[in-house]
Amino acid sequence: MSDTPTRHCRRRRPAFLATVAAATAALVGTLLSGPGAHRADAAPAAFVHPGVTVSRGQLDFVRTQVLAGAQPWKGAYDQMTASKYASLTRTPAPRATVECGSYSNPNYGCTDEREDAIAAYTDALAWYITRDDRYAKKSIELMDAWSAVIKSHTNSNAPLQTGWAGSSWPKAAEIIKYTYTGTWANSGRFASMLRDVYLPEVINGSNSNGNWELSMMEAAVGISVFLEDKTSYDKAMARFRTRTAAYVYLSTDGAVPKTVPSQNLDTTAKIVSYWQGQSTFVTGLTQETCRDLTHTGYGISAISHIAETSRIQGQDLYGTDVGERLRQALGFQAKYQLGTAVPGWLCGGSLNLGLGPVTEVGYNALHNRLGIAMTNTQALTQQNRPAGSNNLFVAWETLTHGDNPA
């Protein structure tokens, strides 16, 4: 479907009618820009920094809690600093071409790239909390090493790989660029890397399983914030909204889930096939629930990360259908991850579990900030604390978002 509206010939309107129309449009624009009513997928007038998934206010809260020895933040911080990602002797392993096949076979630089990006973010967090220059310099070393070398991603998993690594890099870069008191001489080269190597690979999305496009849009949104690229931000957010509606089912969607137009899922049979053979649709079910909860967790995590970035940028998606879909998806998956028996109508009566450390951001936003009861998600979140890393694009979210009011 084209983004260009069909043009119809029309007679020229009298000048006063044009004036009335313009005034009406301006009034509508003003009303739509009021609190909670403006377009929730539009770029802000001015980007907030640091502003990818975690804000300065959140970082300040975390720092205060860790330095005071308060839990669960101190335990989460200790977990992070004990991990391989916080090692000050880590040696970056950049490649000009990262080649990733299905399930990382072949794996030429895939793990190195993802983990160096997570390490850069880990070091940036450690810098902010401790103000130890060594962590900031290590984060910069990792970012500089890759920005000096990488040119492309290839093979079948290139879009997903770029989405995963591209989700972590801007989180690190935002903290370093906007809070580090030293110098980062090659920040411009790093920005060019994101603009030229990463953004083109993710911005146009994917028709694969939904977790692909959601992770790719997470990268695109984060990169757009760092680059202050409003056009790409708007494009990524619009694609994100469409994909989220097609990823998590709500009963209000109708008899079958919503779809992404470009996928041409124009019959119930095609939709059922795409939803892993599941033909009974209930609120909170995702497109990949019957595949496994691990991949479902990737999608849920990306939804929460993008919603959190949007909130930091001044446009809160948690009060829209995005928040409702996130809440229902978390609750539905958490219930079975906690051990509820799987009914026969759901995925043939068997689920592959393994949701992962993906609940903190959504739980904090929806339960702690908005006061929504989330019994299953709360139980799973507290059971899994401190949440670590999935070694792909999720890291340390008990530390950054656990019960964080900022």
Side-chain angles (χ1 to χ4, degrees), residues 252-322:
T252 51
D253 293 338
V256 295
K258 293 178 178 290
T259 62
V260 175
S262 61
Q263 293 190 265
N264 299 311
L265 299 173
D266 51 7
T267 67
T268 298
K270 287 182 181 178
I271 292 171
V272 169
S273 176
Y274 186 59
W275 282 61
Q276 319 293 327
Q278 177 70 12
S279 57
T280 301
F281 301 106
V282 297
T283 292
L285 182 79
T286 81
Q287 181 254 314
E288 295 185 271
T289 298
C290 292
R291 179 186 186 187
D292 57 60
L293 295 198
T294 301
H295 285 88
T296 297
Y298 300 164
I300 290 172
S301 181
I303 292 170
S304 67
H305 292 166
I306 295 171
E308 192 72 355
T309 295
S310 182
R311 183 190 71 87
I312 293 166
Q313 297 304 326
Q315 298 168 314
D316 199 331
L317 294 177
Y318 290 116
T320 71
D321 78 296
V322 170

Side-chain angles (χ1 to χ4, degrees), residues 293 328-340 355 359 375-378 380-381:
L293 295 198
Q328 297 291 354
L330 282 168
F332 187 86
Q333 295 2 268
K335 175 173 67 174
Y336 295 107
Q337 184 66 41
L338 287 166
T340 294
L355 189 61
T359 65
T375 306
N376 292 322
T377 306
Q378 180 173 4
L380 184 62
T381 300

Side-chain angles (χ1 to χ4, degrees), residues 144-168:
D144 282 355
W146 280 88
S147 70
V149 173
I150 190 167
K151 299 297 180 188
S152 66
H153 297 84
T154 63
N155 215 317
S156 59
N157 262 32
L160 182 60
Q161 170 72 19
T162 310
W164 282 341
S167 294
S168 297

Side-chain angles (χ1 to χ4, degrees), residues 357-365 381 385-387 397-399 401-403:
V358 302
T359 65
E360 288 279 17
V361 176
Y363 172 71
N364 186 56
T381 300
R385 283 181 172 171
E397 293 183 350
T398 298
L399 177 66
H401 292 81
D403 301 335

